[in-house]
Amino acid sequence: AFFDVRYGTVNLSSEQTFANGLQIGNTTQGNGNSTINIGDGNFLNLASNITYQADSATANTGLITGGAIQLSAADFGTRTITVSDNSMVTGPELTIASNILESSHQAGSTGNQNLIKGGQGTLLLSGTASTYNVLFVNSGTAQFDTLGALGDNAIQLGTNTTNGTLEYTGPGDET
């Protein structure tokens, strides 16, 4: 089963591994915002995907903050962050304020994990020192407010059949 935070706050006090996915929000029971606080110095080891589900009757959002999300070395493939569109929300439906790190510092890992942004909603990346191989913005919008949120990574917008948008939302002109 996946780890499900429909609404409310979950504080992680130690390193955690979510092997079967992380779901934030709920289509019918979203009675408020969902927050996951990883905790300073902690890692959330992600061996699967992240999904934000919108409740079309409530302007609820998701937030992952603190510590870092580590793309688990258990599978050197791609991780997808799917963000549903919530028409009642102005701004990002899901904000990841934590750094997103590939697992190259884990024993036996070569890194090279990719990150895919899917779904028609908006994802805000606001970490300050993220590292992963390629960011694919296949659909919807990926926003960033510092260059550190993108790291030194390649970025691909859209696919053969979909459009993806990348937006800078930080102060001033960061190039």
Side-chain angles (χ1 to χ4, degrees):
F2 52 85
F3 188 77
D4 187 2
V5 181
R6 294 180 182 190
Y7 58 91
T9 300
V10 173
N11 293 306
L12 304 178
S13 60
S14 63
E15 186 171 318
Q16 300 290 318
T17 298
F18 297 130
N20 296 315
L22 176 59
Q23 181 174 300
I24 300 170
N26 189 281
T27 57
T28 59
Q29 297 176 353
N31 296 326
N33 297 329
S34 303
T35 300
I36 298 173
N37 181 2
I38 298 172
D40 291 338
N42 291 331
F43 286 100
L44 185 156
N45 294 310
L46 189 64
S48 190
N49 302 317
I50 297 174
T51 302
Y52 163 82
Q53 294 188 339
D55 180 348
S56 60
T58 306
N60 56 347
T61 60
L63 170 65
I64 301 174
T65 188
I69 297 172
Q70 180 173 271
L71 305 177
S72 175
D75 172 13
F76 296 112
T78 298
R79 300 289 179 260
T80 300
I81 301 174
T82 303
V83 181
S84 298
D85 183 37
N86 185 331
S87 61
M88 297 184 72
V89 172
T90 56
E93 284 86 4
L94 177 61
T95 297
I96 298 180
S98 303
N99 291 324
I100 301 174
L101 309 174
E102 64 183 358
S103 61
S104 59
H105 70 282
Q106 288 183 338
S109 174
T110 59
N112 296 323
Q113 289 91 2
N114 298 322
L115 198 59
I116 294 176
K117 191 288 179 190
Q120 293 303 313
T122 300
L123 168 67
L124 171 60
L125 300 171
S126 64
T128 58
S130 291
T131 62
Y132 43 85
N133 195 36
V134 178
L135 171 62
F136 295 92
V137 183
N138 286 354
S139 57
T141 301
Q143 298 176 332
F144 66 102
D145 58 9
T146 67
L147 288 177
L150 299 178
D152 294 329
N153 312 304
I155 300 168
Q156 178 179 312
L157 301 177
T159 66
N160 291 338
T161 58
T162 62
N163 293 318
T165 303
L166 183 68
E167 294 179 350
Y168 174 66
T169 60
D173 180 20
E174 237 185 270
T175 54

